């Protein structure tokens, strides 16, 4: 399995922090995020899975704001 380096892109550190913290709660509350978390955790580990879940949540937030649609878990 080939692994790629992660680019360090400038971003809001507070947004990154709050999404990381919220991702843990989302894993416990929403099956969509639980499935994603468990799949990534199996391959990459706990920290990477939490970070990946936070990114997935942020993508969902972006989609809801861009297209003005309600959350459909």
């Amino acid at each position: 399995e080939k692994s790629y380096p992660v680019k360090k892109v400038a971003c809001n550190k507070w947004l990154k922090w709050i999404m990381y913290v919220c991702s843990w709660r989302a894993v416990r509350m929403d099956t969509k995020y639980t499935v994603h978390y468990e799949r990534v955790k199996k391959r990459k580990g706990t920290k990477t899975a939490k970070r990946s879940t936070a990114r997935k949540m942020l993508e969902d937030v972006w989609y809801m704001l861009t297209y003005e649609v309600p959350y459909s878990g």
Side-chain angles (χ1 to χ4, degrees), residues 22-54:
C22 290
S23 71
W24 187 242
R25 189 68 179 163
V27 165
R28 302 276 182 208
M29 300 294 289
D30 192 341
T31 56
K32 172 181 168 182
Y33 296 122
T34 305
V35 169
H36 176 77
Y37 173 81
E38 291 297 332
R39 190 179 68 231
V40 175
K41 181 182 168 192
K42 194 183 321 179
R43 291 182 291 129
K44 300 283 188 173
T46 304
K47 286 185 179 180
T48 305
K50 277 180 72 174
R51 191 168 48 240
S52 176
T53 305

Side-chain angles (χ1 to χ4, degrees), residues 1 3-4 6 9 15 22 24 52 55-57 65-66 69:
E1 180 177 319
S3 114
Y4 298 96
V6 176
V9 180
L15 178 62
C22 290
W24 187 242
S52 176
R55 179 182 170 89
K56 186 154 188 65
M57 286 174 57
L65 293 174
T66 302
V69 295

